Amino acid sequence: MPGTPAPRRLLVAGNWKMNGDRTLAATLCAAAAAAARAAPEVDVAVFPPATLLEQAAAALSGTPVAVGGQTCHGERDGAHTGALSAGMLRDAGCRSVLVGHSEVRTEQAQDDAAVARSVAAARAAGLAPILCVGETRAEREAGRAREVVERQIGAVLAGRPDAADGLDVAYEPVWAIGTGRSATPAEAGEVHGWIRGLLEGARGGRARILYGGSVTPDNIGGFLAVPGVDGVLVGGRSLDPTAFTSLVEAARAAAVRRLADRRRP
Ligand code: PGA
């Protein structure tokens, strides 16, 4: 269709969190590579723990699967024991990095300003950041979900008219992470609509908005049937090679459907 921008490519991202050893990493990388090769219509990325990054980057080099870090510090280097800079991730073979995951925000007391610095550091190092946002159960019950998500995104976009250029966002309601209780596709779609509104004002038309929180092969189809959902960020099920392969296959089916819908007059 002349003048219509190409649709955003769906992304399936696996966040291994603090799990895995060399043996599991080899298995997961082989499965991700095979799944991605069989699904050229979608993007696939894995986010191993720091000790496995180089191994994963070597195993996945020459495949369509991107490797990313799970967090990065906002500074380039210095006296920050235990931390990793974006440049170090890049040096280890990463192309992407999760920033502001709720577990990092909570366990490492990372506030919105620190998240914004990490996003800037990721970009400066040439990494594609995925900004993670989401409200807690108490915030949702208090009717504050929109305010919280808009504040988290606003901190990153603040004062930069092109701040959403090259950014992807993952909406992960905290109450849905690792609980087996995902949001409904309608709940995800509503929040994705709010986020899209913010991003478009900051040149974020190409930015993908993922859903994360208890995504499984059984429920992924419901999320990807929502037009505003551009992929998934998966924790638990990304550690099972069979489940991760099924997630990539389901994303491929959704991508093929979306392309066919666009071609329909
Ligand atoms: P989960 O984790 O799929 O285990 O809920 C998602 C995430 O935290 O990225």
Side-chain angles (χ1 to χ4, degrees):
M1 245 177 287
T4 314
R8 291 181 288 271
R9 282 173 66 82
L10 297 182
L11 171 63
V12 178
N15 174 11
W16 299 0
K17 308 192 180 185
M18 195 175 73
N19 294 293
D21 56 14
R22 289 170 179 276
T23 307
L24 181 64
T27 305
L28 292 177
C29 288
R37 285 202 177 101
E41 299 84 357
V42 303
D43 290 339
V44 178
V46 294
F47 296 82
T51 52
L52 299 174
L53 285 174
E54 284 201 50
Q55 180 193 342
L60 294 168
S61 129
T63 79
V65 182
V67 176
Q70 296 177 4
T71 185
C72 69
H73 199 278
E75 301 289 327
R76 278 174 52 160
D77 46 36
H80 303 287
T81 303
L84 293 172
S85 71
M88 290 170 179
L89 295 177
R90 178 85 198 201
D91 190 42
C94 292
R95 292 182 0 216
S96 178
V97 62
L98 303 177
V99 182
H101 189 282
S102 72
E103 286 151 15
V104 180
R105 288 181 191 258
T106 307
E107 295 180 14
Q108 300 180 22
Q110 191 187 42
D111 62 13
D112 288 331
V115 170
R117 285 195 296 276
S118 292
V119 169
R123 287 186 148 133
L127 296 178
I130 299 180
L131 170 65
C132 303
V133 300
E135 81 287 356
T136 63
R137 163 64 60 198
E139 288 162 343
R140 175 160 280 264
E141 282 172 358
R144 295 182 48 226
R146 182 169 193 162
E147 170 203 324
V148 169
V149 167
E150 292 194 345
R151 189 203 71 225
Q152 291 172 331
I153 293 184
V156 169
L157 302 186
R160 282 193 49 191
D162 61 346
D165 200 10
L167 186 71
D168 287 327
V169 173
Y171 168 56
E172 298 203 299
V174 178
W175 45 271
I177 295 177
T179 60
R181 252 203 80 188
S182 67
T184 64
E187 284 168 333
E190 181 183 35
V191 180
H192 280 226
W194 304 336
I195 296 173
R196 177 61 58 202
L198 291 175
L199 296 180
E200 296 215 316
R203 281 195 227 150
R206 303 295 312 149
R208 286 180 287 211
I209 309 175
L210 317 180
Y211 168 76
S214 297
V215 173
T216 69
D218 290 335
N219 66 21
I220 184 174
F223 292 110
L224 297 183
V226 179
V229 177
D230 304 316
V232 288
L233 178 55
V234 186
R237 307 310 286 153
S238 75
L239 297 169
D240 172 346
T242 307
F244 194 67
T245 300
S246 302
L247 291 165
V248 175
E249 284 168 356
R252 177 181 191 223
V256 168
R257 252 193 321 275
R258 287 186 187 196
L259 287 167
D261 285 349
R262 281 170 57 85
R263 283 198 204 102
R264 208 163 284 138

